[in-house]
Amino acid sequence: MITVNAMGDNCPIPVIKTKKAMQALTGSETIEVLVDNEIAVQNVTKMAASSGGKVTSEKLGEKEYKVTIAMEGAPAAAASEEGGETCMPDKRNNTVVVVSSDRMGEGNDALGKVLIKGFIFAVTQLDELPKTMLFYNGGATLTCEGSDSLEDLKSLEAQGVQIMTCGTCLDYYGLKEKLAVGSVTNMYSIVETMAGASNIIKP
């Protein structure tokens, strides 16, 4: 494990430090990058993913984030060229993703659960991330311990996406103590968030 401490560094320094660590690799290695803001998470994530790394990220606390990059070796040649340290603007827009079930579509339940996992992963790959993701009813289980989508949701949260789960729903399913990502919200906030959205996506 290689740790890159970029806490307190302004863009593009976190990207530059990470890039240098990646270029020094001679074999498979995991790089852990510590930063203190969501934009740095977005920029490091984009650069590392374009270099062939498998990237996950997580919010550890207030102004404390960790980006984990699994590399099979030195980055791809195209990504090693100079000029990859550009500071990108915040990738979030005012889109709200609303998830009301632990499965996607109607028909086979097992297939539906595979589809919702794929849907959430696909959200992580969007060029413009949503501002907020709302989870209620059966969807509330996806933000709790044991969910197959926790890694993707934590990565989205680290990049500034608000992950909000209905408190009434967590209480109903007995999951309030098992919430593993994001925060608890109420119906007024859910309605207010949806009313203020420029786009709403519902799987």
Side-chain angles (χ1 to χ4, degrees):
M1 173 78 74
I2 297 170
T3 299
V4 175
N5 189 344
M7 296 289 287
D9 292 335
N10 294 322
C11 185
I13 296 175
V15 174
I16 293 172
K17 284 184 173 181
T18 304
K19 195 172 182 181
K20 286 181 177 179
M22 291 167 62
Q23 291 173 337
L25 297 179
T26 56
S28 299
E29 187 61 85
T30 298
I31 300 173
E32 181 181 86
V33 186
L34 304 176
V35 295
D36 63 5
N37 64 88
E38 297 154 351
I39 306 303
V41 175
Q42 293 179 16
N43 286 317
V44 170
T45 296
K46 183 174 182 180
M47 183 278 294
S50 69
S51 301
K54 181 182 178 183
V55 189
T56 59
S57 50
E58 185 176 357
K59 183 175 182 179
L60 303 177
E62 187 68 25
K63 294 187 177 180
E64 187 178 0
Y65 305 85
K66 178 175 70 176
V67 181
T68 304
I69 307 162
M71 297 292 295
E72 294 299 320
S80 299
E81 298 172 0
E82 295 301 321
E85 299 87 7
T86 304
C87 294
M88 303 298 292
D90 192 338
K91 293 196 300 178
R92 291 171 294 173
N93 60 28
N94 198 26
T95 294
V96 174
V97 176
V98 178
V99 182
S100 60
S101 176
D102 64 348
R103 63 208 70 186
M104 185 175 182
E106 298 178 4
N108 185 279
D109 287 346
L111 174 60
K113 291 187 176 184
V114 170
L115 293 178
I116 197 67
K117 184 178 186 299
F119 172 85
I120 292 173
F121 171 75
V123 173
T124 70
Q125 303 302 300
L126 291 174
D127 288 336
E128 292 190 3
L129 300 175
K131 181 178 181 181
T132 306
M133 295 184 73
L134 298 173
F135 294 84
Y136 56 82
N137 209 326
T141 63
L142 297 174
T143 58
C144 295
E145 295 172 8
S147 167
D148 290 337
S149 294
L150 277 184
E151 186 176 283
D152 290 331
L153 292 174
K154 287 180 178 180
S155 180
L156 287 164
E157 182 183 45
Q159 295 181 71
V161 178
Q162 279 188 302
I163 309 295
M164 302 168 68
T165 304
C166 166
T168 300
C169 306
L170 291 170
D171 283 338
Y172 182 85
Y173 290 115
L175 294 172
K176 204 155 193 177
E177 301 303 317
K178 295 186 177 181
L179 184 68
V181 61
S183 60
V184 179
T185 190
N186 55 60
M187 189 54 66
Y188 178 79
S189 292
I190 290 173
V191 172
E192 187 176 50
T193 300
M194 292 174 70
S198 55
N199 298 291
I200 294 177
I201 298 175
K202 189 176 187 301

